[in-house]
Amino acid sequence: MKGIGVDIIDLERLDVENLNFVKHILTEKEYLIFVNMKSQKRQREFLGGRFAGKEAYMKANHIGIGDISFHDIEILNDKSGAPYLHDSHAHISISHENKYAIAFVVVEK
Ligand SMILES: CC(C)(COP(=O)(O)OP(=O)(O)OC[C@H]1O[C@@H](n2cnc3c(N)ncnc32)[C@H](O)[C@@H]1OP(=O)(O)O)[C@@H](O)C(=O)NCCC(=O)NCCS
């Protein structure tokens, strides 16, 4: 499978205080990072970036919510801060600014 996907998220629409919602989007490892973040602003950026990244991953693979769970897709950061996916054939880039987070995913195989 080869493909490209992009998604943008309105950060103000994310209910970061609803931990059931947050747990629905994040894997256990991602959730542990989220709860240890210093500010709600940073939590919102992190959650928005993961949400956008997971939807972009689905688009790049030509699949949707019915085909895969948010928990099947994991986005962590390496030592330099660069995000990476659980899938070694997929590449991701995330950005956030004020109200929005955006993510691009490329699948190469
Ligand atoms: C990458 C960088 C330019 C992004 O800066 P920015 O414009 O303030 O941030 P943006 O909102 O556009 O992007 C933030 C996202 O960029 C991604 N990111 C962070 N560091 C990155 C890196 N080194 N490479 C690629 N992507 C990176 C992350 O996904 C981050 O979001 P997240 O932490 O919620 O996952 C900045 O973090 C930077 O200069 N980092 C230097 C890292 C580095 O060289 N480290 C070497 C030490 S080992």
Side-chain angles (χ1 to χ4, degrees):
M1 172 68 66
K2 289 183 181 180
I4 182 167
V6 62
D7 195 60
I8 184 166
I9 294 286
D10 182 344
L11 297 180
E12 288 176 1
R13 291 183 64 190
L14 291 178
D15 187 359
V16 288
E17 289 178 5
N18 179 347
L19 295 184
N20 282 333
F21 167 70
V22 174
K23 282 181 184 167
H24 178 65
I25 304 301
L26 301 182
T27 65
E28 277 183 32
K29 280 185 190 170
E30 291 166 341
Y31 183 74
L32 206 58
I33 296 165
F34 172 90
V35 291
N36 285 303
M37 286 181 150
K38 283 177 279 177
S39 68
Q40 200 175 82
K41 176 179 183 292
R42 187 67 192 103
Q43 284 187 325
R44 202 174 278 281
E45 290 173 349
F46 181 83
L47 181 64
R50 263 70 206 158
F51 203 150
K54 292 179 188 208
E55 299 217 319
Y57 178 80
M58 291 180 203
K59 289 180 183 177
N61 280 288
H62 312 287
I63 55 176
I65 300 280
D67 306 307
I68 193 169
S69 143
F70 283 110
H71 287 181
D72 295 328
I73 308 168
E74 187 165 70
I75 305 164
L76 300 175
N77 298 79
D78 70 15
K79 277 185 187 162
S80 76
Y84 63 92
L85 279 151
H86 65 288
D87 175 350
S88 61
H89 299 300
H91 308 281
I92 183 166
S93 185
I94 295 173
S95 185
H96 24 69
E97 178 75 15
N98 297 326
K99 269 188 75 176
Y100 297 100
I102 188 168
F104 282 96
V105 170
V106 171
V107 177
E108 60 170 330
K109 192 175 175 185

